[in-house]
Amino acid sequence: MSRPLLFLDVDGPFNPYAARPERRPAGYTTIRVPGFSRRPLRVWLNPDHGPALLRLGYDLCWATTWMAEANVWIAPVVGLPGLPYVDFGTGLFAERPDGVHWKTEAIVAYADGRPFAWVDDEQSAADTAYVRAHHPGPALLHHVDPRTGLRESDLRTLAEFAADVSA
């Protein structure tokens, strides 16, 4: 059996955008990404996250509005190689009447039955129900607090899920 997939959102899990703006979290570095508005976008990233995620036993994949740009701006800073990404195409930011997040259907399609974990700060019970109804394999939708980003406890949860589905 192949390794499970790990779908990675950027803003929230990697970039704790909801942290107090005047207090960069310990261990994080700041990058400034041009082109988002008149001022460059401030992004906080922790260089320890990439190596920690690579040790978990997953095939990593971006599931973020950054799509391919995550390989340009995020991956080098956090110590990840270039990763495949979910191309959300015309579904990007498309609201659904059933309350399912606009990423969820595309992530389930990309997984194509493979076990997966998805770290994000925007999942809801509607997403969990959608995954249960449309995905035949094991899945973990793991919420990451956008005020703190990925923490050791999140990494432990992901490691446990990967070990369970690999057993």
Side-chain angles (χ1 to χ4, degrees):
M1 178 184 237
S2 61
R3 296 172 359 141
L5 289 163
L6 177 54
F7 292 107
L8 302 166
D9 182 31
V10 169
D11 295 311
F14 282 96
N15 173 28
Y17 67 86
R20 295 172 61 191
E22 69 281 357
R23 303 202 57 160
R24 181 176 65 199
Y28 283 73
T29 189
T30 302
I31 66 168
R32 304 253 180 224
V33 181
F36 283 87
S37 65
R38 291 174 46 131
R39 294 185 338 189
L41 177 67
R42 182 219 55 183
V43 179
W44 287 332
L45 299 169
N46 187 326
D48 294 335
H49 283 156
L53 290 167
L54 289 169
R55 291 190 294 269
L56 294 179
Y58 287 91
D59 290 335
L60 306 180
C61 182
W62 296 117
T64 174
T65 58
W66 292 73
M67 291 191 278
E69 291 295 304
N71 287 324
V72 174
W73 295 101
I74 309 305
V77 179
V78 300
L80 289 173
L83 301 175
Y85 63 93
V86 178
D87 185 343
F88 295 108
T90 59
L92 193 66
F93 300 118
E95 290 197 32
R96 295 174 52 120
D98 59 3
V100 172
H101 194 279
W102 57 265
K103 291 181 185 179
T104 307
E105 185 175 2
I107 286 171
V108 168
Y110 190 103
D112 193 26
R114 279 180 71 182
F116 74 84
W118 170 25
V119 292
D120 206 308
D121 63 308
E122 296 182 344
Q123 302 132 326
S124 70
D127 301 300
T128 300
Y130 182 92
V131 170
R132 284 188 183 141
H134 296 91
H135 181 70
L140 170 68
L141 279 63
H142 184 72
H143 181 268
V144 174
D145 187 334
R147 293 171 296 175
T148 61
L150 282 169
R151 305 193 70 137
E152 204 53 48
S153 60
D154 300 308
L155 297 170
R156 278 193 304 276
T157 298
L158 293 169
E160 290 167 5
F161 178 78
D164 287 348
V165 300
S166 297

